[in-house]
Amino acid sequence: MNSPSTHFVSSRRMSLYDPIHQINTWGENFKTNGSLNPSLPLIDEEDVRLDSQSEDASNGTLGTSKKYDQEANKPVEKIQRRLAQNREAARKSRLRKKAYVQQLESSRLKLMQLEQELERARQQGLYMGGGLDSNQLGYAGSVNSGITTFEMEYGNWVEEQNRQIIEMRTALSSHIGDIELRILVDGIMSHYFELYGMKSAAAKADVFYVMSGLWKTTAERFFLWIGGFRPSELLKVLVPLIEPLTEQQRMDVQNLGQSCQQAEDALSQGMDKLQQTLAETVAAGIYMPQMATAMEKLEALVSFVNQADHLRQETLLQMSRILTTRQAARYLLALGEYFQRLRALSSLWANRPREPA
């Protein structure tokens, strides 16, 4: 039987810039469920077609001279009715374009206002960026209700994670049975999956916010990759903490790590390609067609965040299947404590003694 790594390498020959295929192939190879929903286009193709026809009608370029000759033979009333319909369609097309341009301008003004608020927050010392203790997760005074909701939910999520870490540490030290331990393991796994759902909703509200990691502490952001951590890197630093493993477990974990690395490479290459095409589109001009195309490409960015979290979720699921219940409990404890220490490091760094200027 081919290993996950071998299967993944063969899938890469199909397309270096097809991360969705890479993730789905990887997931099927391990017999897991779950699929990624493709992003929907921002612009309705029927509207584009109607706009194009309306534009031609308004400029008097619809049809050839031969068609005009044919129209001349039709009743005058029918021709006048058709011309009136064309004028009305052209008028509606111009109104839609005007509304869209106004929307873009409004978004630009909101962005400028947000940048000003951030600058004022930094000057007042509100934007700590150094940890959860300050209760300043992400934007200070964000006008985006979706992001504000996420910041509150994430703060509660971290508090619950801290409680679960204490509970798991106590359970392991008291040597409770595997049945009770499995309940705790499943609870922590579900807690991580809730975070991925929260991030998906936040990415729809503001994908740049999620990608930038402003909701995380400074030390966590140092290791950030598409809105989170690289699963392959976590395996490298955490698996040695749960030794001993059987030879078969080591082989399975090694194959899992290689599959994660290949999936991460596929997503990273896709991100690089998206960044390049988006930069070229923006550089081409600030007119409506270019900006509309750029907006479409940003929808793909939301999909990349969801795919990266899908990979993180699948890695947790696979580890829970490879490891015994007690090993899985130790792995999840090590994972939670790792994040705790990064947050603590951020607070220590933010509050370190500084030499007087």
Side-chain angles (χ1 to χ4, degrees):
M1 179 180 296
N2 292 333
S3 68
S5 175
T6 304
H7 186 75
F8 216 104
V9 171
S10 64
S11 70
R12 283 171 62 85
R13 296 193 185 102
M14 298 181 63
S15 174
L16 283 176
Y17 301 109
D18 191 1
I20 297 180
H21 175 77
Q22 297 280 13
I23 301 302
N24 288 340
T25 302
W26 180 78
E28 291 172 3
N29 187 57
F30 283 97
K31 299 180 181 179
T32 57
N33 296 322
S35 61
L36 297 171
N37 294 324
S39 58
L40 296 175
L42 282 177
I43 298 177
D44 194 306
E45 294 180 0
E46 180 65 21
D47 285 345
V48 175
R49 183 183 63 79
L50 183 58
D51 285 354
S52 177
Q53 292 179 353
S54 301
E55 278 276 276
D56 291 341
S58 66
N59 291 326
T61 59
L62 184 64
T64 63
S65 60
K66 182 178 179 180
K67 292 182 179 178
Y68 277 118
D69 292 339
Q70 293 173 350
E71 291 289 349
N73 296 326
K74 294 182 179 179
V76 176
E77 183 178 334
K78 186 175 182 180
I79 295 176
Q80 290 177 344
R81 184 168 59 251
R82 178 172 294 181
L83 290 174
Q85 290 174 348
N86 287 341
R87 284 194 297 270
E88 179 64 15
R91 186 184 68 85
K92 290 181 179 179
S93 174
R94 288 192 296 271
L95 289 175
R96 281 198 300 271
K97 290 181 179 179
K98 182 178 180 181
Y100 187 76
V101 172
Q102 290 175 343
Q103 182 182 2
L104 289 177
E105 179 64 18
S106 176
S107 299
R108 186 182 69 83
L109 293 175
K110 287 181 179 180
L111 178 61
M112 292 177 59
Q113 180 184 1
L114 182 57
E115 291 175 346
Q116 292 172 357
E117 291 177 355
L118 282 172
E119 184 61 29
R120 285 196 298 269
R122 290 189 186 97
Q123 293 175 357
Q124 295 170 5
L126 296 176
Y127 183 72
M128 301 296 293
L132 297 165
D133 295 339
S134 62
N135 294 321
Q136 299 295 331
L137 291 168
Y139 292 112
S142 173
V143 297
N144 192 320
S145 60
I147 296 304
T148 301
T149 300
F150 172 76
E151 289 176 345
M152 295 175 59
E153 290 178 343
Y154 181 66
N156 294 331
W157 187 91
V158 171
E159 290 182 2
E160 175 61 19
Q161 185 192 44
N162 292 335
R163 187 197 66 78
Q164 289 179 340
I165 290 173
I166 295 174
E167 187 177 21
M168 180 63 78
R169 189 184 297 118
T170 302
L172 286 172
S173 62
S174 62
H175 304 290
I176 65 173
D178 283 354
I179 295 178
E180 294 87 347
L181 203 57
R182 171 53 61 180
I183 294 174
L184 295 180
V185 168
D186 291 343
I188 293 178
M189 295 274 288
S190 297
H191 193 53
Y192 278 108
F193 299 162
E194 288 176 9
L195 175 61
Y196 301 143
M198 290 159 47
K199 286 174 61 182
S200 179
K204 291 179 181 178
D206 188 346
V207 66
F208 294 116
Y209 169 85
V210 177
M211 288 284 294
S212 66
L214 285 174
W215 47 285
K216 286 186 171 292
T217 59
T218 50
E220 289 176 295
R221 291 203 295 272
F222 180 72
F223 297 97
L224 205 66
W225 173 77
I226 313 183
F229 290 80
R230 289 181 179 268
S232 63
E233 293 299 324
L234 289 177
L235 290 176
K236 289 178 184 178
V237 299
L238 296 180
V239 168
L241 302 178
I242 60 172
E243 291 281 2
L245 300 176
T246 66
E247 191 62 32
Q248 183 62 48
Q249 284 177 323
R250 286 197 188 92
M251 184 178 302
D252 290 342
V253 171
Q254 182 179 3
N255 290 336
L256 177 61
Q258 291 175 353
S259 296
C260 286
Q261 182 67 63
Q262 291 165 346
E264 291 165 9
D265 290 345
L267 282 171
S268 295
Q269 291 171 7
M271 281 288 297
D272 291 342
K273 184 66 175 178
L274 175 62
Q275 187 179 43
Q276 178 184 349
T277 56
L278 181 59
E280 291 172 351
T281 301
V282 174
I286 59 173
Y287 302 106
M288 190 195 73
Q290 288 85 358
M291 297 307 291
T293 303
M295 292 291 289
E296 285 185 9
K297 296 183 186 302
L298 290 182
E299 280 294 305
L301 190 57
V302 175
S303 179
F304 273 104
V305 173
N306 291 334
Q307 290 173 60
D309 276 346
H310 178 72
L311 176 60
R312 286 182 268 265
Q313 178 174 330
E314 288 296 322
T315 304
L316 276 178
L317 286 171
Q318 295 307 321
M319 284 299 290
S320 71
R321 291 165 182 159
I322 293 172
L323 303 175
T324 66
T325 298
R326 198 160 294 274
Q327 288 171 332
R330 295 209 311 269
Y331 179 79
L332 290 173
L333 177 60
L335 180 64
E337 289 179 337
Y338 178 71
F339 294 145
Q340 274 188 334
R341 289 163 186 159
L342 285 178
R343 292 193 288 265
L345 179 62
S346 297
S347 295
L348 290 172
W349 176 255
N351 297 303
R352 70 191 184 281
R354 293 175 173 81
E355 294 292 335

